[in-house]
Amino acid sequence: MKPASKKDILQILNDQKEIFGDDLFITKDELLSKSKTEMVKEKKINYVVEKIETSKLNEEPVLFNVNNDKISAEKTDWQLAGTLDNLNKLICNCTKCKLHLGRNKFVFGSGNPDADVMVIGEGPGAEEDKQGLPFVGRAGMLLTDMLKAIKFERDDVYIGNIVKCRPPENRAPLPDEMDTCLPYLIKQIELINPKLILCLGLIAAKGLLKRKESLTQLRGKIFEYGSSKVIVTYHPAALLRNPHWKKPAWEDLKMFRKLYEQV
Ligand code: URA
């Protein structure tokens, strides 16, 4: 292969800058190692990213630091996704935490990408893992009814989870699994920009709001997450186990609807 000229390299850098802004990514193939070393020395580039074949778009790009060691990216492709579909394509083969080992399907989330209301659960269960969709099991049926009771159709809202792969034996996701997966949810929230978020259960509330209080302490209050207002209520699976909580959950839902009408 003919080595790239300095002019070619500058052209590549300018093209990359247009796409990525000041975080410059350049493919390994596109850069002569001599020029790369020079640019790294001059601090003109931070990372070198391996060329991503179209067929590999679902995989994370591999980044190298200035010493040519593989590193995790500060701004990878998925963070630059402009649509939910694109984000899903870029993250659906994620292997960042051990939950991927037991995954049948990655459960990205579903619903209206322009929703005013986002509903956040804990993580996929058996049925969700089978279908690749959130809240499609028994708890999901109850969630559909809960939403209907406050005049929302499932398709009006966007439904997501704190973790996108099923924890084994329906255990709660572990803190490191939640922390690893949370940036994906944050990106979803950024793309949807909902006015209101309903957190279902303590795991969802803790995961998103980083609060330490109990569910009882978190209920009945309005929190803020970026420009979205957040209300916390019981997880529908908890309501199936303990129907006595349905009455207080109904109070939360009415409060949520009232807030929706105000914002
Ligand atoms: N429980 C959750 O928290 N999320 C789902 O998607 C299904 C059940």
Side-chain angles (χ1 to χ4, degrees):
M1 202 178 89
K2 200 168 141 250
S5 68
K6 202 169 171 184
K7 198 169 149 228
D8 290 338
I9 293 166
L10 280 172
Q11 181 63 48
I12 291 162
L13 287 170
N14 278 332
D15 291 345
Q16 297 282 319
K17 192 170 181 182
E18 262 183 31
I19 304 168
F20 296 113
D22 284 327
D23 288 330
L24 276 190
F25 293 85
I26 193 156
T27 64
K28 238 177 151 186
D29 294 350
E30 284 165 338
L31 203 58
L32 281 174
S33 52
K34 187 167 166 274
S35 316
K36 183 184 78 179
T37 317
E38 276 167 12
M39 292 207 193
V40 163
K41 269 197 207 134
E42 290 168 27
K43 296 230 179 306
K44 286 204 176 126
I45 58 169
N46 294 325
Y47 306 116
V48 181
V49 55
E50 266 188 4
K51 200 172 187 102
I52 309 159
E53 309 291 338
T54 331
S55 60
K56 283 191 183 172
L57 266 179
N58 284 339
E59 291 174 18
E60 296 251 321
V62 183
L63 299 185
F64 297 83
N65 69 8
V66 293
N67 299 318
N68 227 9
D69 304 315
K70 277 189 187 178
I71 52 156
S72 66
E74 273 170 21
K75 220 174 198 184
T76 52
D77 271 18
W78 68 264
Q79 285 169 306
L80 301 164
T83 65
L84 290 172
D85 280 348
N86 193 225
L87 176 64
N88 187 12
K89 278 192 196 123
L90 292 165
I91 65 174
C92 67
N93 292 324
C94 178
T95 54
K96 282 186 182 167
C97 85
K98 58 187 176 305
L99 291 183
H100 82 276
L101 296 169
R103 170 176 75 208
N104 182 38
K105 287 206 171 143
F106 183 85
V107 182
F108 177 74
S110 73
N112 176 2
D114 297 316
D116 284 337
V117 169
M118 196 163 167
V119 178
I120 298 177
E122 186 176 310
E127 199 50 43
E128 289 77 21
D129 176 65
K130 218 187 268 171
Q131 296 190 34
L133 291 167
F135 282 99
V136 286
R138 271 185 76 220
M141 275 153 64
L142 179 56
L143 174 62
T144 308
D145 291 343
M146 287 161 70
L147 291 170
K148 268 212 175 104
I150 48 167
K151 297 186 266 169
F152 292 115
E153 292 300 320
R154 256 183 94 110
D155 293 345
D156 295 339
V157 306
Y158 194 91
I159 305 177
N161 277 308
I162 294 286
V163 296
K164 305 204 173 337
C165 300
R166 183 192 180 200
E169 280 130 43
N170 291 343
R171 67 156 166 80
L174 302 174
D176 67 301
E177 296 159 354
M178 289 164 66
D179 287 346
T180 306
C181 212
L182 190 66
Y184 295 152
L185 180 66
I186 292 172
K187 179 70 190 177
Q188 284 174 299
I189 297 173
E190 183 194 308
L191 289 170
I192 297 164
N193 193 20
K195 290 190 178 129
L196 289 188
I197 297 176
L198 183 63
C199 280
L200 302 172
L202 190 59
I203 296 276
K206 270 189 176 171
L208 186 71
L209 299 172
K210 301 280 169 218
R211 312 275 310 198
K212 295 206 179 351
E213 296 99 313
S214 67
L215 188 73
T216 313
Q217 287 165 328
L218 294 172
R219 286 186 45 245
K221 296 189 180 125
I222 300 168
F223 298 94
E224 290 194 347
Y225 186 85
S227 58
S228 311
K229 299 214 180 315
V230 184
I231 283 184
V232 179
T233 190
Y234 294 92
H235 192 287
L239 299 178
L240 288 173
R241 284 194 303 270
N242 190 342
H244 294 304
W245 287 332
K246 283 193 177 169
K247 197 160 173 276
W250 175 231
E251 296 305 320
D252 299 338
L253 292 176
K254 281 193 291 185
M255 178 180 164
F256 189 76
R257 178 73 211 191
K258 200 167 158 200
L259 186 61
Y260 172 77
E261 278 158 17
Q262 285 166 3
V263 294

